[in-house]
Each structure stands twice: as structure tokens, then as C-alpha cells.
């Protein structure tokens, strides 16, 4: 079956750095997405990786290793507004998005 | 100028009723989706339409019936509502299927509570 694994919850301190990991087992691979979802709101797109390596976008970076079925989202200079759930999703060989359950990130002052 | 809109935002109804949720996107996208997000926050695809044609129909009860009158609209009708249908339902759209980098744009969600 298809499976996406992420930690359920993480806690970090304002101003620090946090890395959220995602491992996947899917039938085929056509890209990996990270979305941010604040409580009570819709998911919003953060990043897309299809080739191995690091994609940097401001305070957020996303890394992919296809051979290991592994990705991480790196958040730097954490702000209180970064408190949210972070969803990892993989597009499989049928171009369908398979979603992880999300990682709830709690930022403490 | 909302990109993906859904109505209603909140829906409280009794078991056994029939209800509809409407979704519209003004992005010119070809593909639209319905997701269900339960209390554990797991986002589960229900249906996907591409150019008004059904392309994904996950294992959902046949009480759920999507309708796409045109490319910009994808409505969800639910018959004989059950307690387990309580969840947040998200509509989403993306430019199409040809490019795997296409991200999905989500509507604000409809919080359905069945009592």
C-alpha cells in the first residue's frame, strides 16, 4: 500500500530552527509537496521537490532524497505565526496526491 | 476575487437529511477535487474531476455524489447524512494533470456537523 509518515507533533522555540521529516512509500513518484495549514483554515502550498536536493524559499527549505524515500522541511528563524500543521504529500504514478497526516508544530516564546 | 470559494462555510444538520456543498473556482483550472478532513486532521481525497469528467472516485459511500456542471464548478451532494459524515470538506483545484508540479489551491472548507 501507499504510506506517508510524519511525526504527529513537534515543539520548537521562537527564533530557532526546526526540521520536519517525511518518509514515503508510494507506487511511483511524480513530486513531493509541503503544505501549511493553520487551525481552522485551508492548506496552503509551501514547496515542491521532484529532483534530489534542497530547494530554498526564504525562511523555508525543503529537501528530497528519492532513493531513500525521504524529505524534510526546514524552518528557520521561527516565528509564532509558524505554529501550524505541516502536511507532506506525494504525487504517485497516477498523478494522484497521497497525503500524510500532518505534523502539528507548536512554537513557544 | 476569491480563487476557490465554497458555500456554506458551516453546515449543521440532522441525521437522515440531504445536503449540498457548492464549490467554484475562478482560476481557469481544469481539475477540481473534494477532500474530507476528519477530527484527526487526515486529508482524504474523495473525488477528482478533470474538464467535468470524473477521474478519481475513491471508496466513499454512494450517498456522496459529485456534480460538475462546468469546469469552474464542482458540487457535492450528500444523501441520508450520518454522524460519521461530520468533518471539514475541502474543495481544491489545480491547472491540470499534465504537469506534476502543479500545486492545488484549496477553498476555505465547509465544516459539516451531523447531529
Amino acid at each position: 500500500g501507499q504510506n506517508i509518515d510524519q511525526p504527529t507533533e513537534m515543539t520548537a522555540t521562537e527564533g530557532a530552527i526546526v526540521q520536519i521529516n517525511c518518509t514515503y512509500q508510494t507506487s511511483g513518484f511524480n513530486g513531493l509537496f509541503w503544505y501549511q495549514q493553520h487551525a481552522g483554515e485551508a492548506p496552503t502550498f509551501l514547496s515542491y521537490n521532484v529532483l534530489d536536493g534542497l530547494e530554498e524559499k526564504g525562511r523555508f527549505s525543503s529537501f528530497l532524497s528519492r532513493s531513500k524515500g525521504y524529505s524534510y522541511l526546514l524552518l528557520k528563524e521561527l516565528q509564532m505565526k509558524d505554529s501550524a500543521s505541516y502536511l507532506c504529500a506525494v504525487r504517485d504514478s497516477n498523478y494522484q496526491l497521497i497525503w500524510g497526516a500532518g505534523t502539528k508544530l507548536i512554537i513557544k516564546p | 476575487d476569491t480563487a476557490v470559494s465554497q458555500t456554506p462555510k458551516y453546515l449543521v444538520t440532522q441525521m437522515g437529511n440531504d445536503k449540498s456543498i457548492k464549490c467554484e473556482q475562478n482560476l481557469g483550472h481544469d481539475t477540481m477535487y473534494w477532500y474530507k478532513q476528519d477530527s484527526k486532521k487526515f486529508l482524504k481525497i474523495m473525488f477528482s474531476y478533470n474538464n467535468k469528467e470524473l477521474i478519481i472516485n475513491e471508496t466513499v459511500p454512494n450517498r456522496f455524489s459529485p456534480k460538475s456542471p462546468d469546469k469552474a464548478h464542482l458540487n457535492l451532494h450528500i444523501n441520508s447524512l450520518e454522524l460519521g459524515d461530520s468533518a471539514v470538506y475541502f474543495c481544491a483545484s489545480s491547472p491540470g494533470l499534465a504537469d506534476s508540479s502543479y500545486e492545488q489551491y484549496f477553498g476555505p472548507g465547509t465544516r459539516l456537523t451531523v447531529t
Side-chain angles (χ1 to χ4, degrees):
Chain A
Q2 310 208 84
N3 199 45
I4 310 267
D5 284 318
Q6 311 177 228
T8 304
E9 188 174 295
M10 298 182 71
T11 303
T13 305
E14 191 177 15
I17 299 173
V18 71
Q19 177 176 311
I20 302 174
N21 295 326
C22 169
T23 57
Y24 63 89
Q25 288 178 307
T26 55
S27 50
F29 179 84
N30 279 301
L32 184 143
F33 295 80
W34 284 97
Y35 281 76
Q36 180 190 59
Q37 185 177 24
H38 284 102
E41 297 183 10
T44 54
F45 169 77
L46 285 179
S47 69
Y48 170 75
N49 294 70
V50 68
L51 299 177
D52 290 352
L54 190 68
E55 294 280 343
E56 296 187 77
K57 201 187 272 189
R59 293 189 299 115
F60 292 5
S61 303
S62 56
F63 171 83
L64 174 67
S65 169
R66 288 171 296 170
S67 62
K68 295 182 180 177
Y70 167 71
S71 172
Y72 67 72
L73 181 69
L74 191 71
L75 291 77
K76 301 177 186 175
E77 301 168 17
L78 284 168
Q79 302 174 8
M80 297 303 292
K81 67 177 182 180
D82 297 330
S83 292
S85 288
Y86 292 85
L87 308 173
C88 174
V90 173
R91 200 181 295 282
D92 69 10
S93 55
N94 294 320
Y95 288 87
Q96 182 175 345
L97 265 187
I98 312 299
W99 293 82
T103 298
K104 183 178 180 181
L105 178 63
I106 300 167
I107 309 296
K108 295 186 173 178
Chain B
D1 57 347
T2 305
V4 183
S5 59
Q6 295 179 228
T7 53
K9 190 167 174 61
Y10 299 96
L11 183 54
V12 181
T13 188
Q14 291 184 328
M15 283 174 56
N17 285 348
D18 303 338
K19 291 292 179 186
S20 292
I21 307 172
K22 296 186 175 182
C23 178
E24 176 181 2
Q25 54 96 2
N26 63 6
L27 298 166
H29 288 170
D30 286 342
T31 310
M32 295 184 73
Y33 312 82
W34 275 112
Y35 285 93
K36 178 180 180 181
Q37 189 171 45
D38 60 24
S39 57
K40 294 182 179 178
K41 306 302 180 188
F42 191 67
L43 203 61
K44 184 176 170 59
I45 183 76
M46 299 175 71
F47 302 102
S48 174
Y49 271 71
N50 189 58
N51 279 315
K52 301 194 301 175
E53 290 192 16
L54 182 65
I55 54 169
I56 294 174
N57 183 3
E58 290 298 310
T59 307
V60 299
N62 57 16
R63 298 181 294 105
F64 290 79
S65 53
K67 288 264 188 330
S68 183
D70 55 59
K71 236 173 50 164
H73 295 85
L74 180 61
N75 303 323
L76 184 65
H77 189 75
I78 315 169
N79 289 328
S80 303
L81 278 155
E82 300 177 358
L83 292 176
D85 297 332
S86 295
V88 180
Y89 291 83
F90 286 103
C91 176
S93 73
S94 66
L97 299 175
D99 189 328
S100 65
S101 69
Y102 289 155
E103 75 224 49
Q104 293 182 10
Y105 295 77
F106 284 79
T110 296
R111 183 174 293 277
L112 172 65
T113 303
V114 182
T115 60

